[in-house]
Amino acid sequence: ADIKLSEEQRAVFYSDWTYSAIRQSVALPNISTADEIAKYLDLPIEKVNAHLDFLLQTGLCKLMGKKIVVGSSSTHVDASSPWVNVHHSNWRSRVIQSLTLSSESDLHYTSPLTLSASDCEVVREKIVQLIEDVGKVVDPSPSEKMYCLCLDWFQVKRS
């Protein structure tokens, strides 16, 4: 079941990409302790422990015996939320970090381009369809690896 976070809790959760990453990481096999999370995400154990305290208090993570597991099923932030821009910015800053450590499994693509006004909407619709298609693959998929998908489609110069 989804958990409804208070505004104060959302402010904390969306303040840093690591809250979401820590929460997601415990869905992976062989990651269920603070030490395993810290090693996997290359984060200081003190930060992981502090974030885990918050995640456990809010129910976003749970303890099952000595193992930390994902709590609520979703932390989706609505497009109208004041936290959506923070959430996007946090993960895009993580993308910038990943550029310096890029591996063959990563895909980074940037393409400033020009096109007709009518084709702008066609491309946007294709991106929305891609997002929906990815969701259909990811939702039933077992948690084995953690990836982040960031897509941006925006008009560079606003009129």
Side-chain angles (χ1 to χ4, degrees):
D2 292 349
I3 291 173
K4 185 79 168 159
L5 297 177
S6 70
E7 280 303 307
E8 184 178 322
Q9 291 169 330
R10 277 183 246 181
V12 172
F13 185 76
Y14 293 113
S15 69
D16 187 340
W17 67 270
T18 57
Y19 284 97
S20 178
I22 289 168
R23 182 178 172 278
Q24 291 295 319
S25 70
V26 298
L28 297 169
N30 304 318
I31 299 181
S32 61
T33 67
D35 287 334
E36 291 164 347
I37 295 165
K39 184 177 178 183
Y40 180 77
L41 294 174
D42 195 24
L43 294 172
I45 189 66
E46 300 80 16
K47 184 173 193 169
V48 170
N49 282 325
H51 285 22
L52 276 172
D53 285 345
F54 169 82
L55 294 168
L56 290 165
Q57 288 171 4
T58 58
L60 293 171
C61 286
K62 298 186 294 192
L63 276 175
M64 292 187 77
K66 294 183 179 184
K67 293 184 175 190
I68 303 161
V69 298
V70 175
S72 86
S73 61
S74 174
T75 57
H76 176 77
V77 60
D78 192 77
S80 63
S81 169
W83 303 111
V84 72
N85 291 343
V86 176
H87 178 61
H88 290 310
S89 296
N90 287 341
W91 279 102
R92 276 150 183 86
S93 92
R94 181 62 184 92
V95 168
I96 291 168
Q97 289 176 354
S98 79
L99 292 172
T100 61
L101 306 169
S102 194
S103 73
E104 287 185 23
S105 66
D106 294 347
L107 173 63
H108 297 284
Y109 180 76
T110 303
S111 180
L113 40 82
T114 59
L115 67 165
S116 71
S118 62
D119 285 341
C120 291
E121 188 53 35
V122 171
V123 171
R124 186 182 189 288
E125 288 172 12
K126 288 184 178 291
I127 293 170
V128 169
Q129 186 60 55
L130 170 67
I131 293 167
E132 291 171 1
D133 291 348
V134 168
K136 290 175 187 171
V137 171
V138 170
D139 290 344
S141 182
S143 297
E144 296 173 350
K145 295 184 178 228
M146 186 188 314
Y147 275 74
C148 180
L149 173 63
C150 297
L151 287 173
D152 301 292
W153 178 251
F154 63 98
Q155 187 171 343
V156 175
K157 179 171 179 350
R158 301 286 180 195
S159 354

